[in-house]
Amino acid sequence: MASDTTYLIVGASLAGAKAAQTLREEGFEGRIVLVGEENERPYERPPLSKGYLLGKAEREEIYVHRPQWYAEHDVDLRLGVTVTSVDPAAHEVTFADGSRLGYAKLLLTTGSSPRRLPVPGVDLDGVLYLRRLEDSNRIKEAFGAASRIVVIGAGWIGLETAAAARAAGVEVTVLEMAELPLLRVLGREASQIFADLHTDHGVDLRCGVQVAEITGTDGHASGVLLADSSRIEADAVIVGVGITPNSRLAAAAGLDVDNGIRVDAHLRSSDQDIYAAGDVANAFHPLLGKHIRVEHWANALHQPQVAAKAMLGQDVTYDRVPYFFTDQYDLGMEYTGYVEPGAYDQVVFRGGTSTREFIAFWLAHSRVLAGMNVNVWDVTDLIRALVTSGRAVDAKKLADPGVPLTDLLDHTDGTG
């Protein structure tokens, strides 16, 4: 089939699968080719560190579509296939086997990869990262065989993995360079809540430490050596020190790349026929007035729907407020909004942090930038409305559980 009818999606992820689905739902009748390096059909990643890792979700539950969906919707799903280059001028890609495929429109949903720890010993057996389904399976196996593990990095992946390990009865030590877990994400005011959560559940949380080496015995990880020469014994080491966007293809093709593939509010790259969505996209956000790259599930779910519509020529923009969630022990949390480190001047707590049932709001000049509801449910729409309103609110009323959030939406003080 001619390339002028082919819409190619590189990255058989949640984002890639949702883009293909949207193209069909919007009436596109041309050829859709969805290409992925993994041998698994598209699946969702949050369960890998949550329900699936905990053994609460079955493998089949994590997939985006039934196996038959792709054939039923005439989507050419190619798994275990690597794209080695993109030629924007020729409108074609080259695969690892040397074959080529032309396209009319190209969507890159190539995601991201775990950042490797730059210390000796990272290649030992028993040093584990969490990004793919096979990684989650390896970590589950480690939980079954290990009596003690070390988690390096107290970000979301590290903390969720630590919680899963404790649920499996494993002794856990978490190592973090910063003074508190999640410090860059939540700031000092809210980070302490997660530090206390894990220590209350028996985690040996060590902050402000530097890893010097992962030590091994007979080729297998056996512990971690810190910069102060102290050593922590371990049967396995899990590394969660962030991710890096998979933008190599885009950079080699001459696209504008800066902390991911730089795209506009329509998710179009510097080439008019190439788009990007999900972890790899550094997208201009109309509400925030800046480019942001969001590494969370909601972005991978919703952003490709806009990209697909834009590829079809529809005048659409991606302006959803960022959202993410976590489940750790008996704590469930949803976070709505976007706050850069140091960009807020006040944190307002609504409810009791000691009981871990509250909402935290980050404000700048009395305007709500983000809200985090912890074990409080059915409030994300209201938090989103407060964020998107851009208007100032009364902090005392915001902190008062007796004042409905709907009242705050109706009675902002009008200074914005």
Side-chain angles (χ1 to χ4, degrees):
M1 188 174 291
S3 63
D4 62 357
T5 62
T6 299
Y7 277 30
L8 173 61
I9 304 168
V10 177
S13 55
L14 168 62
K18 283 298 179 180
Q21 177 181 329
T22 302
L23 287 172
R24 287 296 184 233
E25 289 174 347
E26 293 298 312
F28 179 65
E29 297 180 351
R31 185 185 188 191
I32 300 175
V33 181
L34 176 57
V35 178
E37 290 186 343
E38 294 185 62
N39 290 312
E40 298 284 345
R41 71 183 191 273
Y43 58 85
E44 302 200 31
R45 297 191 190 277
L48 303 188
S49 61
K50 299 180 177 72
Y52 182 74
L53 185 60
L54 286 162
K56 296 180 179 179
E58 297 297 325
R59 183 185 183 114
E60 196 60 30
E61 295 178 47
I62 74 172
Y63 293 103
V64 182
H65 297 117
R66 297 176 297 107
Q68 304 89 341
W69 184 91
Y70 300 94
E72 291 171 355
H73 292 83
D74 196 20
V75 174
D76 182 0
L77 177 61
R78 304 185 185 184
L79 301 176
V81 174
T82 300
V83 174
T84 56
S85 66
V86 176
D87 185 342
H91 276 66
E92 66 179 17
V93 302
T94 301
F95 298 105
D97 63 3
S99 62
R100 298 181 179 184
L101 177 66
Y103 64 83
K105 302 286 184 181
L106 170 64
L107 174 61
L108 298 173
T109 55
T110 46
S112 54
S113 297
R115 189 174 297 128
R116 291 181 63 81
L117 195 66
V119 299
V122 292
D123 294 323
L124 291 166
D125 289 340
V127 177
L128 306 170
Y129 293 81
L130 179 56
R131 182 60 183 170
R132 297 184 171 189
L133 176 58
E134 61 196 35
D135 299 329
S136 189
N137 288 332
R138 290 193 189 101
I139 291 173
K140 277 204 288 189
E141 291 174 3
F143 289 170
S147 61
R148 55 194 176 183
I149 67 164
V150 168
V151 177
I152 301 175
W156 295 117
I157 292 295
L159 294 184
E160 289 176 356
T161 304
R166 290 298 296 138
V170 181
E171 293 182 13
V172 180
T173 299
V174 174
L175 306 176
E176 169 58 41
M177 288 180 60
E179 297 176 54
L180 287 167
L182 304 167
L183 188 59
R184 278 185 56 82
V185 180
L186 301 180
R188 187 174 304 277
E189 298 86 350
S191 294
Q192 188 64 52
I193 294 162
F194 284 88
D196 294 343
L197 172 70
H198 281 267
T199 56
D200 287 352
H201 283 83
V203 172
D204 180 5
L205 176 63
R206 305 190 189 185
C207 294
V209 298
Q210 179 75 46
V211 173
E213 181 181 353
I214 298 175
T215 59
T217 303
D218 298 327
H220 192 279
S222 59
V224 175
L225 179 68
L226 300 180
D228 64 3
S229 298
S230 61
R231 188 175 184 277
I232 305 161
E233 302 287 338
D235 302 310
V237 176
I238 300 170
V239 180
V241 292
I243 58 177
T244 302
N246 294 329
S247 52
R248 180 192 59 80
L249 275 176
L255 302 182
D256 189 0
V257 170
D258 176 18
N259 183 31
I261 303 170
R262 197 171 173 89
V263 295
D264 61 18
H266 311 290
L267 305 178
R268 183 187 295 112
S269 75
S270 52
D271 182 285
Q272 65 176 2
D273 292 325
I274 302 179
Y275 297 73
D279 285 3
V280 77
N282 185 3
F284 182 80
H285 197 287
L287 177 66
L288 301 172
K290 64 179 73 176
H291 279 80
I292 63 170
R293 189 174 66 82
V294 179
E295 302 171 347
H296 297 296
W297 164 85
N299 223 48
L301 177 68
H302 298 293
Q303 213 174 51
Q305 299 176 43
V306 171
K309 293 176 182 179
M311 291 165 72
L312 294 172
Q314 298 181 27
D315 185 12
V316 290
T317 58
Y318 188 76
D319 59 1
R320 289 183 67 95
V321 174
Y323 165 92
F324 62 89
F325 69 99
T326 189
D327 295 301
Q328 299 172 34
Y329 310 109
D330 56 352
L331 183 150
M333 181 278 279
E334 298 173 289
Y335 181 105
T336 306
Y338 181 80
V339 184
E340 292 182 321
Y344 63 93
D345 54 35
Q346 186 179 12
V347 179
V348 174
F349 289 96
R350 181 185 181 91
T353 58
S354 61
T355 60
R356 297 184 185 128
E357 189 172 323
F358 64 91
I359 307 173
F361 296 94
W362 285 259
L363 283 72
H365 307 295
S366 298
R367 292 165 176 80
V368 177
L369 303 178
M372 178 178 74
N373 49 298
V374 174
N375 291 335
V376 176
W377 307 112
D378 301 321
V379 293
T380 54
D381 287 344
L382 293 171
I383 294 172
R384 183 179 298 110
L386 284 168
V387 171
T388 56
S389 74
R391 294 177 293 178
V393 298
D394 185 324
K396 290 184 179 180
K397 292 181 178 178
L398 190 64
D400 185 354
V403 178
L405 291 177
T406 50
D407 284 7
L408 289 164
L409 283 168
D410 293 336
H411 300 293
T412 51
D413 69 12
T415 60

